[in-house]
Amino acid sequence: MAAPRNATGDSFFAWDGDVLIVNILGKPSACCDAIAKPMGTQLKVSVTATPKNGKATDHMVRFLATLFGVAVADIEVVFGQESIHKQLRITAPKKLPPVFTRT
């Protein structure tokens, strides 16, 4: 069963056991792949891919898999495959980008 949309409460992320739940505000067609600062309860993530048929989300998942030290298969898009508003579940991340230590 998928996590509810409010699974992160007032933060952009939450833990469910060893699964990291992250709310994303995506920015496709950006000049570079990058994680920016949180905007409310979403983490802004820019990717260079264009938003056609979910390809920007697929690109984002590959980009984030590297940053979190997990396989692409360890990241589930709970909702928002073709939207800028997404929720991801990352199973057992091996590392965390610095933005996760600032909250």
Side-chain angles (χ1 to χ4, degrees):
M1 186 163 108
R5 289 179 181 242
N6 66 351
T8 62
D10 293 333
S11 179
F12 69 92
F13 74 97
W15 289 95
D16 180 10
D18 69 342
V19 175
L20 178 64
I21 303 167
V22 185
N23 293 327
I24 302 287
L25 174 61
K27 182 176 185 293
S29 302
C31 63
C32 62
D33 295 335
I35 289 181
K37 65 181 182 175
M39 297 183 70
T41 59
Q42 294 179 302
L43 178 63
K44 188 173 179 184
V45 178
S46 301
V47 294
T48 56
T50 57
K52 293 190 180 175
N53 302 318
K55 290 184 192 241
T57 298
D58 294 342
H59 181 87
M60 179 183 293
V61 167
R62 289 191 302 275
F63 167 64
L64 293 174
T66 301
L67 292 180
F68 286 94
V70 298
V72 170
D74 292 329
I75 300 180
E76 173 193 0
V77 179
V78 178
F79 63 81
Q81 178 67 34
E82 294 187 12
S83 169
I84 61 169
H85 304 286
K86 307 172 188 315
Q87 186 174 84
L88 307 179
R89 291 178 59 87
I90 305 169
T91 302
K94 303 204 179 13
K95 51 189 177 176
L96 294 175
V99 69
F100 286 86
T101 60
R102 291 186 213 131
T103 61

